[in-house]
Amino acid sequence: MTERKIVLFSVCRHLLPSDYENWLEQMAAEGWHINHFRQWNSMVMAFQRGKPKKYRFVYDPQVSPRKEYIATYEQFGWEYLGRMASAHFWRMEYEGERPQAFSDQEGLVDRNRRNLTAVSVSFFIFFLAVIAIGLALGFAADSLSAGDRIQLIIAAIFFGIISLALGYIMLLMRKNLLR
């Protein structure tokens, strides 16, 4: 039996924070555990085989958390697993009723809005890049070599595809702010 499982691009498969949390909980219930989050876990995530456990995971985007952020969660029994980009990850083992990380619906919506804001910023950066490349091609095409024009067109297509994907993710998140 394999003692280690590698999952590639997990954040691309589970776009909503609640879906990502549920996926991590399902993995733990099947005996696959992650004990620490690192910057590159969005691309490559390694799970270790263990005893199936009932964990509640929390995905909490915090760009600049307050000083007492980690201590506050830990006071309530949450185990800090680390961060991936600006998202902090927590877990709590439990039996019976699934523990809530947010005391009310407003806290959950705030978390989802922070995530939506981060995706929106990325969307606008890529969208502006497509516009800038389009303007460069429109105004300076004659002064560019054929190779440079092709590279700019490929970059515009690539950034356009990323913009479309991020736009879709933004719509999905906006529709699911209460989850």
Side-chain angles (χ1 to χ4, degrees):
M1 177 162 47
T2 307
E3 297 298 314
R4 189 171 152 104
K5 182 178 198 170
I6 303 293
V7 177
L8 302 176
F9 303 106
S10 62
V11 294
C12 298
R13 298 177 191 184
H14 311 283
L15 300 174
L16 300 174
S18 59
D19 291 347
Y20 203 75
E21 292 168 349
N22 291 336
W23 173 70
L24 289 168
E25 290 169 27
Q26 181 180 351
M27 292 292 285
E30 294 171 5
W32 293 106
H33 303 287
I34 186 161
N35 295 314
H36 189 76
F37 276 83
R38 294 176 180 85
Q39 203 64 7
W40 293 102
N41 282 147
S42 61
M43 290 189 252
V44 179
M45 187 175 281
F47 290 87
Q48 295 295 320
R49 171 64 87 183
K51 189 174 139 186
K53 292 188 178 186
K54 215 171 172 181
Y55 279 124
R56 166 66 161 107
F57 284 86
V58 175
Y59 171 119
D60 189 20
Q62 294 280 338
V63 176
S64 300
R66 299 177 322 274
K67 267 180 150 178
E68 66 278 357
Y69 173 73
I70 291 175
T72 301
Y73 263 93
E74 288 174 341
Q75 283 177 343
F76 288 98
W78 292 92
E79 177 187 359
Y80 185 63
L81 297 176
R83 70 188 279 177
M84 178 172 55
S86 63
H88 295 264
F89 288 86
W90 300 90
R91 79 174 169 198
M92 179 187 287
E93 190 172 2
Y94 70 97
E95 291 185 29
E97 191 175 331
R98 185 176 184 241
Q100 295 301 317
F102 302 98
S103 58
D104 58 7
Q105 192 70 23
E106 187 179 320
L108 181 65
V109 170
D110 285 345
R111 183 271 307 259
N112 292 339
R113 280 196 179 120
R114 285 192 304 274
N115 215 43
L116 178 59
T117 299
V119 172
S120 299
V121 168
S122 298
F123 167 80
F124 286 112
I125 289 170
F126 280 100
F127 187 69
L128 289 174
V130 170
I131 291 171
I133 292 170
L135 290 172
L137 285 170
F139 289 113
D142 295 338
S143 65
L144 297 171
S145 70
D148 289 341
R149 281 193 301 271
I150 290 171
Q151 286 180 7
L152 284 174
I153 290 168
I154 291 170
I157 291 169
F158 178 72
F159 291 159
I161 291 169
I162 292 173
S163 294
L164 287 173
L166 290 171
Y168 170 74
I169 293 168
M170 285 169 42
L171 290 174
L172 188 64
M173 289 178 161
R174 188 176 299 277
K175 284 172 48 176
N176 291 284
L177 280 176
L178 299 175
R179 283 187 36 203

